[in-house]
Amino acid sequence: MTQSHTPSAQITIVKCPTCQAEVEWGEQSPFRPFCSKRCQLIDLGEWAEEEKAIPGAPDMSDADGWSEDMGY
């Protein structure tokens, strides 16, 4: 993220996470941080297809040693 300094206002520029185009962060960029609706939907599709994930502890709900068959 880079910032341009002007006497009257400070403008923040970010890179689109999908295509790396520069996007001005403000009301004039309704899809921020994305440059367009297209890039926003590409990113959403990657999350929906589980191509992207937030790292965390593995789900242990099925492997925690408890089973209905074992009479617990």
Side-chain angles (χ1 to χ4, degrees), residues 6-66:
T6 60
S8 60
Q10 184 175 354
I11 299 171
T12 300
I13 304 293
V14 297
K15 288 194 181 267
C16 174
T18 305
C19 72
Q20 302 302 306
E22 291 188 351
V23 179
E24 189 173 323
W25 192 275
E27 296 298 321
Q28 69 282 3
S29 303
F31 303 109
R32 64 188 177 273
F34 302 97
C35 65
S36 65
K37 185 72 172 177
R38 178 182 178 273
C39 282
Q40 187 181 50
L41 290 174
I42 289 170
D43 185 75
L44 177 62
E46 290 171 350
W47 284 98
E49 293 293 323
E50 296 184 358
E51 294 171 18
K52 293 184 177 181
I54 298 172
D59 181 13
M60 300 299 287
S61 60
D62 292 334
D64 61 2
W66 291 94

